[in-house]
Amino acid sequence: MLEQKFHVDPARLSPGICLEEIGLDSLSLMEFVFNAEDTFHLRIPEDLLDPRQGGITLQHVCDVIEALQAAPATGTGA
């Protein structure tokens, strides 16, 4: 996704890289989060991944997505 939609050279990607280091500002980071939500069919709560927060690493994004995918579905059943 980062390579195709955000034109990031895959050679620059590593788990510990901050998204700002690969050229994602707060607006493009927000777009990245929305794309991740669409791609993985989930909703990422802002308290887990706030696009305005600095220093977000690629590993952090992956950890958040994996945790949400592993969490049991919560529904009201009403």
Side-chain angles (χ1 to χ4, degrees):
M1 179 187 330
L2 286 170
E3 179 183 5
Q4 293 175 358
K5 293 187 185 250
F6 297 93
H7 310 289
V8 175
D9 179 2
R12 296 187 64 203
L13 299 177
S14 69
I17 195 161
C18 289
L19 297 179
E20 292 92 357
E21 291 179 52
I22 57 174
L24 272 66
D25 60 15
S26 59
L27 183 59
S28 56
L29 179 55
M30 190 176 305
E31 186 179 345
F32 175 64
V33 170
F34 293 147
N35 276 284
E37 289 177 331
D38 290 344
T39 299
F40 296 102
H41 308 288
L42 49 81
R43 168 74 177 99
I44 301 173
E46 201 171 280
D47 63 325
L48 294 180
L49 192 60
D50 185 347
R52 298 167 296 187
Q53 177 184 353
I56 295 175
T57 63
L58 191 53
Q59 183 64 55
H60 179 71
V61 174
C62 292
D63 291 344
V64 167
I65 290 170
E66 288 174 359
L68 290 170
Q69 288 179 323
T74 56
T76 60

